Amino acid sequence: MTRRALTAGVLCAAMALPFGLGLNEAGAAPLPTVTSSQSDASRPAIMGTVSEDSGLSVSINSLSPRIITDENELVITGTVRNDSPTTLANISLEVFVANETPISVPALTTALTDDEPDATHAASSSLTDVARGATTSFEIRIPTSSLPLTDAEEWGPRVTTVTATSGEYSGKDRSIIVWDSGAQVSASRVSAVIPWTSTSATQDQGERSAVLSLASASGITLAVDPLLIPRGPQPTATPTPSASPSASPSTSPSTSPSTDAGQSGSDPAQSGQSDAESGQSGAPTASPSASPTPTPAPTATDPAQRARDLQSEAFVAALLSNATEIIALPEGDADLGALSLSGNTGFWDRASRSMADFPDTLRKAGWVAPANSPASPSPSASATPSPSGTPEATPTPSASTTTAGQSTTTSSSPDSGPSILRNVAWPADTTFGTSFLSGFSSSNQITIAPVGALTPAEDVPFTSYARVNVDPATGETSTDGTGARTLAQQSDIAAILSWNASGGDELDAEQALTAITAIITRERPASSRTIFAAAQRGTVINERLTGRTKALFSPRWVSAMSFSEMAASEPTDVDRQTVGAGVLEADTETAISAMASSLTMLTPLAKATDDADAVYASVTPQILPALSAQLTPSEQLDAATAVTSQVTTMLSAVTVEPSSAVNLINKSANFPVLVRNNLPWPVRVDVTLVPDDPRLRATPAQSQTLAAQGATTVEVPVGAIGSGDIEVTYKVTTPDGLVLDDSQTVTVRMRAGWEDAITAVIASLFGLLFLAGITRSLRKRAARKAQAASGDADTTDITTETETATTKETP
């Protein structure tokens, strides 16, 4: 294949970083040097090894036509980069085409790797005066009559090599041409799944554009994380009373991801989002007989936010209109296999509800008012039976609209949309096994098997059907139509779909997909095969991916098949390798257990507030993403640790303010305790004191509501006996008894005897004052009496003297 290495050690960055930077385009500056081991890390094994170059780097960038039929010539274009230390006056170009068509996919890999293939020299050309470090384009036109394409039965892929030589310097690149001789064949039925998950999504315009393109492509089914569906500001359901989420493990999950939302328990974080009608694939959705005018979402006042809302609404409308069916993943693409093996029914139910609540219409996504809202007309339901017997919505006419500069088709009704497949499970590679299948084996459920699982037990010269029924009890292939339905992947197609190739590698990837389907079809040309592949989680969704999918489905020997059709196709007639039980890694098990314990601890605090749903909603949305199937067990543990740390922070948000020593001289008093609440919600708590000496007695805990983001003083009645210094611990608990803070202590200096002494002294003083007052009163009374007596005597003498004088003056 394309030579990406230089003698100076420059290799393709596309092969250096998995799903990362692409190869230099023609004329671009060289990228940093990388090692070949880094290059091979992202290169699918099917593509063979990179050949060694010596001073010249050759890249085949285009083939026209991609599939040769009755054309007169083949045009090969590409570039040659001079990495030698000197200007080269002449570079000779030679083209070789393999004489034989690979009869198997491994044979194709060998042909792409072989340094001396059995090939025909098809053409020559040359480049002159190529300066050191310069990249020069070339175009070679080859008459198809010069190609070794004569036997119509030998149609299919041929490895093509372009070599460049100039003296001691050389280099080469390989690609694949595909010849369609027109031979009669039964087309292979192909279906592919592309995951779009919040773990790796960018949500930029390029990614969204690619998502819409993939959604409308035949044979492609998007597996979508519901966290990536922008939700509008309109309420989507009537909130129901919620209880604390169950976190207790059991031996096996009691429900499956296809369980109806109304049957899987309640969850505070999901209140207001569940929809009882969306619990299973093909659930009935309302479709108006006369399309009503949708009630628009409330307009944001901020222009930037308003623009973002309009873009999000347009994207959701286009996605739900373009897609025929979408696989609903659990929130965060949580690993259902790990949840099953852990036996945690609370988390399993949460995953089930998130799949059941996946919106299939603009109304359920919150971009138009609820159907029962006074602002929105109530459409009349018009359901038609689906092939599975479940009613589904009757499609309504579509209207053309424009979003982000692209013309798309959006639904004219807020209540029509694609079929949401809520009965599909895609466990991680290690957790897939009989333990999971035994709890997910009902007739309408389908499991996507990992790459490499369910390979034929013995070598067979053909590709068998993709659907495999597995006996959950034994893990063996079931051929009688019973057992858990699974889909086995064509690993080479899956690897190429996942490869974010660019430049010449992009051409090679697309041609390899065409080649693989041709090889499989040629194995049994009269018998149609079913081929299924799923891109790896974390696959970059961009324009290059859409190009690879087009290359996969464009040949005439490929018939695009929907996921539902693939799931209902005929089962394999070839025994596959026995399926193991599945493994729950220790770090994953620890992660699940730690988050479950944290939720259990959070429950009393949530109940102590007036808005328990808000408390849970601040934590629980991170639970399922922490168990994403894309994460390694150690990464899951790290994510779970972040969740448990958040719960720990919330539980430590109610604290007692430290206090200096307190003097207590009374036998009874109200002891003030300053409690701070850093939570955004008021919390009801009980506050009490725990002394280390029985001489101080505190009354039972005092109930108090603490204001949000503030401090509140709680007075605790206490009684004291005797004197002494004792240590008292402040204790704050929820009404259920969960201790929120008992870390603060205070020294209390009790002088309860002083109260009696002071009282006696004061009483004596009052007694003395009382006696002194009485004595003084008596003395004052005696003085008044004596004064009164003295006054009477003086009056008598004056009267006598007056009377005598009067007598003497009378004649």
Side-chain angles (χ1 to χ4, degrees), residues 662-674:
V662 176
N663 296 318
L664 181 62
I665 61 175
N666 297 335
K667 288 185 177 180
S668 61
N670 288 329
F671 201 103
V673 181
L674 184 62

Side-chain angles (χ1 to χ4, degrees), residues 592-640:
I592 295 174
S593 176
M595 289 191 293
S597 298
S598 293
L599 281 188
T600 300
M601 296 174 61
L602 184 63
T603 299
L605 178 64
K607 291 181 177 179
T609 68
D610 293 332
D611 193 354
D613 288 351
V615 177
Y616 289 120
S618 66
V619 176
T620 51
Q622 289 78 45
I623 290 176
L624 294 181
L627 301 175
S628 171
Q630 184 178 335
L631 301 178
T632 64
S634 61
E635 290 172 335
Q636 291 174 339
L637 182 57
D638 290 342

Side-chain angles (χ1 to χ4, degrees), residues 439-681:
F440 197 79
S441 59
S442 65
S443 59
N444 69 327
Q445 294 167 332
I446 187 76
T447 301
I448 298 175
V451 171
L454 299 175
T455 57
E458 298 180 358
D459 290 337
V460 291
F462 61 91
T463 300
S464 184
Y465 299 123
R467 177 183 161 187
V468 181
N469 285 4
V470 178
D471 184 349
T474 63
E476 297 178 351
T477 305
S478 173
T479 57
D480 60 359
T482 62
R485 288 191 303 164
T486 61
L487 290 180
Q489 298 194 48
Q490 210 292 330
S491 57
D492 298 306
I493 294 178
I496 296 175
L497 287 177
S498 307
W499 185 26
N500 188 30
S502 61
D505 284 338
E506 184 178 359
L507 168 68
D508 299 338
E510 295 174 4
Q511 289 297 95
L513 289 170
T514 304
I516 292 172
T517 56
I519 291 172
I520 294 175
T521 303
R522 289 181 67 241
E523 292 171 348
R524 285 193 171 185
S527 176
S528 174
R529 305 283 92 188
T530 53
I531 304 172
F532 173 75
Q536 297 175 5
R537 290 174 165 95
T539 295
V540 178
I541 297 181
N542 53 23
E543 186 179 356
R544 294 195 291 271
L545 176 59
T546 63
R548 296 198 297 276
T549 58
K550 289 178 182 178
L552 176 62
F553 291 97
S554 61
R556 69 174 181 88
W557 54 84
V558 170
S559 174
M561 199 176 195
S562 71
F563 184 88
S564 296
E565 292 171 334
M566 182 63 69
S569 64
E570 62 270 40
T572 184
D573 53 357
V574 175
D575 286 338
R576 305 300 177 99
Q577 290 182 350
T578 302
V579 177
V583 177
L584 181 64
E585 298 290 344
D587 283 350
T588 304
E589 184 175 12
T590 302
I592 295 174
S593 176
M595 289 191 293
S597 298
S598 293
L599 281 188
T600 300
M601 296 174 61
L602 184 63
T603 299
L605 178 64
K607 291 181 177 179
T609 68
D610 293 332
D611 193 354
D613 288 351
V615 177
Y616 289 120
S618 66
V619 176
T620 51
Q622 289 78 45
I623 290 176
L624 294 181
L627 301 175
S628 171
Q630 184 178 335
L631 301 178
T632 64
S634 61
E635 290 172 335
Q636 291 174 339
L637 182 57
D638 290 342
T641 301
V643 175
T644 57
S645 298
Q646 182 180 354
V647 174
T648 301
T649 300
M650 293 176 64
L651 294 175
S652 60
V654 176
T655 58
V656 175
E657 292 292 308
S659 173
S660 57
V662 176
N663 296 318
L664 181 62
I665 61 175
N666 297 335
K667 288 185 177 180
S668 61
N670 288 329
F671 201 103
V673 181
L674 184 62
V675 185
R676 181 169 296 278
N677 173 24
N678 291 322
L679 293 171
W681 315 280

Side-chain angles (χ1 to χ4, degrees), residues 311-404:
Q311 291 177 354
S312 296
E313 182 180 3
F315 169 72
V316 176
L319 175 63
L320 298 181
S321 177
N322 289 355
T324 302
E325 59 184 20
I326 294 175
I327 295 174
L329 295 173
E331 282 185 358
D333 188 25
D335 183 6
L336 293 176
L339 296 180
S340 174
L341 290 172
S342 72
N344 189 301
T345 58
F347 292 171
W348 177 274
D349 289 346
R350 167 174 284 277
S352 301
R353 284 192 295 275
S354 68
M355 296 167 72
D357 292 342
F358 192 101
D360 56 354
T361 66
L362 273 177
R363 193 184 302 280
K364 290 181 181 178
W367 291 108
V368 291
N372 58 355
S373 169
S376 176
S378 177
S380 59
S382 176
T384 58
S386 68
S388 61
T390 307
E392 57 185 17
T394 301
T396 57
S398 301
S400 177
T401 186
T402 301
T403 173

Side-chain angles (χ1 to χ4, degrees), residues 225-271:
D225 181 344
L227 295 178
L228 293 177
I229 303 298
R231 302 300 179 105
Q234 296 281 4
T236 57
T238 302
T240 56
S242 58
S244 62
S246 170
S248 60
S250 65
T251 56
S252 63
S254 58
T255 58
S256 69
S258 62
T259 303
D260 186 89
Q263 298 175 345
S264 57
S266 58
D267 192 325
Q270 296 294 338
S271 63

